[in-house]
PDB file of all heavy atoms in Angstrom:
ATOM      1  N   GLN W 131     -48.982 105.661 199.664  1.00 98.00           N
ATOM      2  CA  GLN W 131     -48.725 104.375 200.225  1.00 98.00           C
ATOM      3  C   GLN W 131     -47.340 103.978 200.001  1.00 98.00           C
ATOM      4  O   GLN W 131     -46.702 103.369 200.953  1.00 98.00           O
ATOM      5  CB  GLN W 131     -49.608 103.301 199.394  1.00 98.00           C
ATOM      6  CG  GLN W 131     -50.997 103.669 199.618  1.00 98.00           C
ATOM      7  CD  GLN W 131     -52.000 102.499 199.625  1.00 98.00           C
ATOM      8  OE1 GLN W 131     -51.716 101.495 198.813  1.00 98.00           O
ATOM      9  NE2 GLN W 131     -53.094 102.521 200.358  1.00 98.00           N
ATOM     10  N   ILE W 160     -43.000 111.469 227.780  1.00 97.00           N
ATOM     11  CA  ILE W 160     -43.578 112.535 226.944  1.00 97.00           C
ATOM     12  C   ILE W 160     -43.735 113.877 227.755  1.00 97.00           C
ATOM     13  O   ILE W 160     -43.291 114.890 227.455  1.00 97.00           O
ATOM     14  CB  ILE W 160     -44.815 112.210 226.323  1.00 97.00           C
ATOM     15  CG1 ILE W 160     -44.738 110.819 225.406  1.00 97.00           C
ATOM     16  CG2 ILE W 160     -45.356 113.315 225.331  1.00 97.00           C
ATOM     17  CD1 ILE W 160     -43.687 110.821 224.315  1.00 97.00           C
ATOM     18  N   GLU W 174     -47.077 123.367 226.162  1.00 91.00           N
ATOM     19  CA  GLU W 174     -47.324 123.326 227.574  1.00 91.00           C
ATOM     20  C   GLU W 174     -48.647 122.582 227.898  1.00 91.00           C
ATOM     21  O   GLU W 174     -49.604 122.654 227.031  1.00 91.00           O
ATOM     22  CB  GLU W 174     -47.429 124.743 228.081  1.00 91.00           C
ATOM     23  CG  GLU W 174     -46.685 125.163 229.288  1.00 91.00           C
ATOM     24  CD  GLU W 174     -46.919 126.607 229.554  1.00 91.00           C
ATOM     25  OE1 GLU W 174     -47.895 126.960 230.200  1.00 91.00           O
ATOM     26  OE2 GLU W 174     -46.078 127.450 229.126  1.00 91.00           O
ATOM     27  N   THR W 175     -48.724 121.947 229.051  1.00 91.00           N
ATOM     28  CA  THR W 175     -50.015 121.411 229.473  1.00 91.00           C
ATOM     29  C   THR W 175     -50.113 121.459 230.897  1.00 91.00           C
ATOM     30  O   THR W 175     -49.093 121.437 231.542  1.00 91.00           O
ATOM     31  CB  THR W 175     -50.221 119.991 228.862  1.00 91.00           C
ATOM     32  OG1 THR W 175     -51.591 119.496 229.206  1.00 91.00           O
ATOM     33  CG2 THR W 175     -49.279 118.891 229.448  1.00 91.00           C
ATOM     34  N   ALA W 198     -27.431 102.803 233.418  1.00 98.00           N
ATOM     35  CA  ALA W 198     -27.972 101.525 233.927  1.00 98.00           C
ATOM     36  C   ALA W 198     -27.760 100.343 233.024  1.00 98.00           C
ATOM     37  O   ALA W 198     -27.373  99.252 233.439  1.00 98.00           O
ATOM     38  CB  ALA W 198     -29.422 101.795 234.339  1.00 98.00           C
ATOM     39  N   GLU W 222     -44.789 117.897 215.380  1.00 96.00           N
ATOM     40  CA  GLU W 222     -44.848 116.563 216.014  1.00 96.00           C
ATOM     41  C   GLU W 222     -44.120 115.559 215.055  1.00 96.00           C
ATOM     42  O   GLU W 222     -44.450 115.432 213.857  1.00 96.00           O
ATOM     43  CB  GLU W 222     -46.400 116.100 216.130  1.00 96.00           C
ATOM     44  CG  GLU W 222     -46.576 114.811 216.841  1.00 96.00           C
ATOM     45  CD  GLU W 222     -48.112 114.415 216.718  1.00 96.00           C
ATOM     46  OE1 GLU W 222     -48.917 115.289 217.006  1.00 96.00           O
ATOM     47  OE2 GLU W 222     -48.392 113.328 216.372  1.00 96.00           O
TER      48      GLU W 222
ATOM     49  N   GLN V 131     -33.985  96.304 236.007  1.00 98.00           N
ATOM     50  CA  GLN V 131     -33.382  95.979 234.842  1.00 98.00           C
ATOM     51  C   GLN V 131     -34.143  94.766 234.224  1.00 98.00           C
ATOM     52  O   GLN V 131     -34.380  94.632 232.964  1.00 98.00           O
ATOM     53  CB  GLN V 131     -31.940  95.611 234.920  1.00 98.00           C
ATOM     54  CG  GLN V 131     -31.257  96.847 235.421  1.00 98.00           C
ATOM     55  CD  GLN V 131     -29.835  96.986 235.008  1.00 98.00           C
ATOM     56  OE1 GLN V 131     -29.069  95.988 234.770  1.00 98.00           O
ATOM     57  NE2 GLN V 131     -29.288  98.236 234.747  1.00 98.00           N
ATOM     58  N   ILE V 160     -50.416 112.475 217.826  1.00 97.00           N
ATOM     59  CA  ILE V 160     -50.514 112.728 219.337  1.00 97.00           C
ATOM     60  C   ILE V 160     -51.456 113.861 219.529  1.00 97.00           C
ATOM     61  O   ILE V 160     -52.362 113.783 220.386  1.00 97.00           O
ATOM     62  CB  ILE V 160     -49.166 112.934 219.935  1.00 97.00           C
ATOM     63  CG1 ILE V 160     -48.109 111.821 219.672  1.00 97.00           C
ATOM     64  CG2 ILE V 160     -49.289 113.187 221.444  1.00 97.00           C
ATOM     65  CD1 ILE V 160     -48.493 110.484 220.110  1.00 97.00           C
ATOM     66  N   GLU V 174     -54.968 118.832 227.785  1.00 91.00           N
ATOM     67  CA  GLU V 174     -55.252 119.831 226.773  1.00 91.00           C
ATOM     68  C   GLU V 174     -54.039 120.627 226.582  1.00 91.00           C
ATOM     69  O   GLU V 174     -53.197 120.801 227.538  1.00 91.00           O
ATOM     70  CB  GLU V 174     -56.311 120.833 227.422  1.00 91.00           C
ATOM     71  CG  GLU V 174     -57.509 121.183 226.659  1.00 91.00           C
ATOM     72  CD  GLU V 174     -58.365 122.117 227.417  1.00 91.00           C
ATOM     73  OE1 GLU V 174     -58.081 123.299 227.429  1.00 91.00           O
ATOM     74  OE2 GLU V 174     -59.361 121.563 228.002  1.00 91.00           O
ATOM     75  N   THR V 175     -53.776 121.145 225.392  1.00 91.00           N
ATOM     76  CA  THR V 175     -52.759 122.112 225.138  1.00 91.00           C
ATOM     77  C   THR V 175     -53.070 123.150 224.079  1.00 91.00           C
ATOM     78  O   THR V 175     -54.045 122.848 223.358  1.00 91.00           O
ATOM     79  CB  THR V 175     -51.517 121.344 224.701  1.00 91.00           C
ATOM     80  OG1 THR V 175     -50.368 122.219 224.652  1.00 91.00           O
ATOM     81  CG2 THR V 175     -51.605 120.655 223.333  1.00 91.00           C
ATOM     82  N   ALA V 198     -56.986 102.193 203.613  1.00 98.00           N
ATOM     83  CA  ALA V 198     -55.952 102.405 202.664  1.00 98.00           C
ATOM     84  C   ALA V 198     -55.032 101.260 202.476  1.00 98.00           C
ATOM     85  O   ALA V 198     -54.694 100.793 201.395  1.00 98.00           O
ATOM     86  CB  ALA V 198     -55.187 103.644 203.030  1.00 98.00           C
ATOM     87  N   GLU V 222     -49.624 108.297 231.315  1.00 96.00           N
ATOM     88  CA  GLU V 222     -48.952 108.167 230.043  1.00 96.00           C
ATOM     89  C   GLU V 222     -48.614 106.693 229.816  1.00 96.00           C
ATOM     90  O   GLU V 222     -47.861 106.173 230.760  1.00 96.00           O
ATOM     91  CB  GLU V 222     -47.690 109.064 230.100  1.00 96.00           C
ATOM     92  CG  GLU V 222     -46.819 109.207 228.960  1.00 96.00           C
ATOM     93  CD  GLU V 222     -45.563 110.027 229.202  1.00 96.00           C
ATOM     94  OE1 GLU V 222     -45.632 111.114 229.772  1.00 96.00           O
ATOM     95  OE2 GLU V 222     -44.542 109.571 228.835  1.00 96.00           O
ATOM     96  N   MET V 427     -47.544 109.476 237.013  1.00 92.00           N
ATOM     97  CA  MET V 427     -48.678 109.113 237.768  1.00 92.00           C
ATOM     98  C   MET V 427     -49.315 110.450 238.275  1.00 92.00           C
ATOM     99  O   MET V 427     -48.880 111.519 238.020  1.00 92.00           O
ATOM    100  CB  MET V 427     -48.311 108.213 238.901  1.00 92.00           C
ATOM    101  CG  MET V 427     -47.794 106.789 238.254  1.00 92.00           C
ATOM    102  SD  MET V 427     -47.223 105.764 239.527  1.00 92.00           S
ATOM    103  CE  MET V 427     -45.840 106.644 240.310  1.00 92.00           C
TER     104      MET V 427
END
Side-chain angles (χ1 to χ4, degrees):
Chain W
Q131 299 209 328
I160 305 300
E174 229 179 84
T175 186
E222 184 185 312
Chain V
Q131 299 209 328
I160 305 301
E174 229 179 84
T175 187
E222 183 185 311
M427 299 179 294

